[in-house]
Amino acid sequence: MSHAILDLVEQVMSSPWLYVALFALALLDGFFPIVPAETSVITAGVFAATGETNLALVIVVAALGAFAGDHISYLIGNRSAGRLRDKKAFIWARGALAERGGLVLVVARYIPGGRTATTLTMGAVRHPLRSFTFFDAIAAGSWAVYSGLIGFFGGMAFENDPIKGLLLGLGIALSVTAVVEIVRWVRKRRAAIQVSPERLPADTSV
C-alpha cells in the first residue's frame, strides 16, 4: 500500500502541472487557509532532493502564489471592513498592526490563521498598498524559502525513503509553529498579569 502511495506521489511530483498546482494552492491559502499549501511545498521540496522537482522553481512559484493570494485577501478585507470589525482575529490583527506596523505581516505568516486575519485587517483599515506589497513580498518569499528548504533537507536526510523525509519536514514545520504559539501565549499571559486589577495601585482617596 505504501509503495502504491509513493508511486502516485512521485508521478504527481514529476508532472509539469505540479508547479501550476503549487501556485494555485498557495494563492487559495491566502484567503482560504484550510488549503494544504505549506504541506504541498514541503512535499515538493522533499522530492527536489531526489531530482523529481526543481527546488528553485518550487520556491518561486509558491512565493508568487502566496503573494497573489495575500493581495486578494487584502482586497476582500478592503471591501468587507464593516463585517470584520467585531471578529476576534480582526481585533488581534488590528492591535498587532498598530504596534508593529507592516512587519506584523511577516510574523503572521507563521501563525496559524494569523496570516489571513492580518491581510484582511490591513485591507479593512486601508493600510497603504505600497507598504503592504513591500512587507508581503518579504513574507511570501521567506515562507516559500522556509517551506521548500525544510522539505529539501528532510529529503536529503532520507534520500532513499521520501516518506520519512516528508514526515521529518512536516515535523519540523509543526515544531516551529508550536514554538511560535507557545511564545505568543507566554507573552500574552505576561501582559495580562501586568494589567490585572490585583497589580493596579490601590485607590487611596477618601
Side-chain angles (χ1 to χ4, degrees):
M1 183 68 174
S2 60
H3 289 293
I5 295 174
L6 181 57
D7 288 341
L8 177 61
V9 174
E10 287 179 341
Q11 290 178 19
V12 172
M13 290 296 124
S14 60
S15 170
W17 289 100
L18 167 69
Y19 303 102
V20 176
L22 287 176
F23 178 88
L25 287 171
L27 183 148
L28 288 172
D29 190 43
F31 51 91
F32 195 58
I34 64 171
V35 173
E38 185 170 305
T39 302
S40 301
V41 178
I42 291 174
T43 303
V46 169
F47 283 88
T50 64
E52 295 287 341
T53 62
N54 183 304
L55 180 62
L57 190 54
V58 166
I59 291 173
V60 169
V61 167
L64 290 175
F67 182 80
D70 288 346
H71 278 72
I72 292 175
S73 182
Y74 176 94
L75 180 60
I76 293 172
N78 191 277
R79 300 292 177 85
S80 309
R83 294 192 295 272
L84 294 173
R85 294 192 186 281
D86 296 327
K87 300 292 184 180
K88 184 176 180 180
F90 179 92
I91 295 171
W92 167 82
R94 185 171 55 191
L97 183 60
E99 181 181 349
R100 301 184 183 91
L103 187 62
V104 72
L105 183 58
V106 181
V107 177
R109 169 62 64 172
Y110 302 93
I111 300 173
R115 175 183 68 260
T116 304
T118 302
T119 52
L120 286 171
T121 301
M122 294 179 82
V125 301
R126 310 299 197 267
H127 187 83
L129 181 58
R130 180 177 297 181
S131 173
F132 176 85
T133 298
F134 172 76
F135 284 104
D136 191 52
I138 297 173
S142 64
W143 169 79
V145 171
Y146 157 80
S147 301
L149 289 182
I150 280 181
F152 181 77
F153 287 122
M156 288 286 287
F158 295 97
E159 191 171 353
N160 297 320
D161 194 342
I163 296 299
K164 288 183 179 178
L166 176 57
L167 292 175
L168 175 61
L170 292 175
I172 294 173
L174 288 173
S175 298
V176 170
T177 300
V179 170
V180 170
E181 285 297 288
I182 290 171
V183 170
R184 285 183 61 228
W185 182 85
V186 170
R187 292 184 62 183
K188 184 177 180 180
R189 182 74 175 173
R190 287 179 177 174
I193 292 174
Q194 290 175 359
V195 300
S196 62
E198 294 79 3
R199 301 261 175 181
L200 294 175
D203 188 356
T204 58
S205 60
V206 179

